[in-house]
Amino acid sequence: MQRQSRDHFDASTIPDDLAPIATVLSKMLPGDWRSLRPVIDRRKCVKCSLCWLYCPVQCVTEKPRWFEFDLAVCKGCGICAQECPQRAISMVEETGR
Ligand code: SF4
Ligand code: SF4
């Protein structure tokens, strides 16, 4: 009688370096692809902390007299600028990439 099934594939026969590019972990931070960045006018900031509250990636940190953005993590969505009651945050274009 003819055999109906094949042996199971032996995954241990696949070489470790078959696709080296796909196995290198590349951390893609938003700061690498963001097109806009938030810039704060420190004279206008009243430290209400709404930017800190609304930032979806929690990259706003408190400084003694204003709030600052971690630009490696900020994705440039502009929510902080939209929510700031003092209009202290402007979104400016990223340059030099
Ligand atoms: S929302 Fe505006 S005023 Fe409030 S802390 Fe942030 S930058 Fe300052
Ligand atoms: S632009 Fe978006 S991600 Fe960046 S600090 Fe403002 S709310 Fe957060």
Side-chain angles (χ1 to χ4, degrees), residues 23-69:
T23 58
V24 173
L25 178 65
S26 162
K27 270 209 242 171
M28 189 81 172
L29 286 171
D32 297 335
W33 49 258
R34 181 187 57 231
S35 61
L36 295 172
R37 69 160 66 199
V39 174
I40 191 163
D41 183 341
R42 295 172 184 175
R43 292 165 305 174
K44 290 185 183 173
C45 177
V46 293
K47 287 201 76 178
C48 67
S49 76
L50 283 180
C51 52
W52 172 84
L53 183 69
Y54 278 100
C55 176
V57 294
Q58 300 181 337
C59 72
V60 185
T61 52
E62 188 177 10
K63 296 290 172 188
R65 296 185 61 194
W66 63 86
F67 281 73
E68 202 168 75
F69 314 102

Side-chain angles (χ1 to χ4, degrees), residues 78-95:
I79 292 174
C80 54
Q82 197 67 38
E83 296 298 332
C84 175
Q86 296 296 312
R87 294 284 174 254
I89 303 170
S90 324
M91 299 304 292
V92 300
E93 250 179 69
E94 284 284 4
T95 53

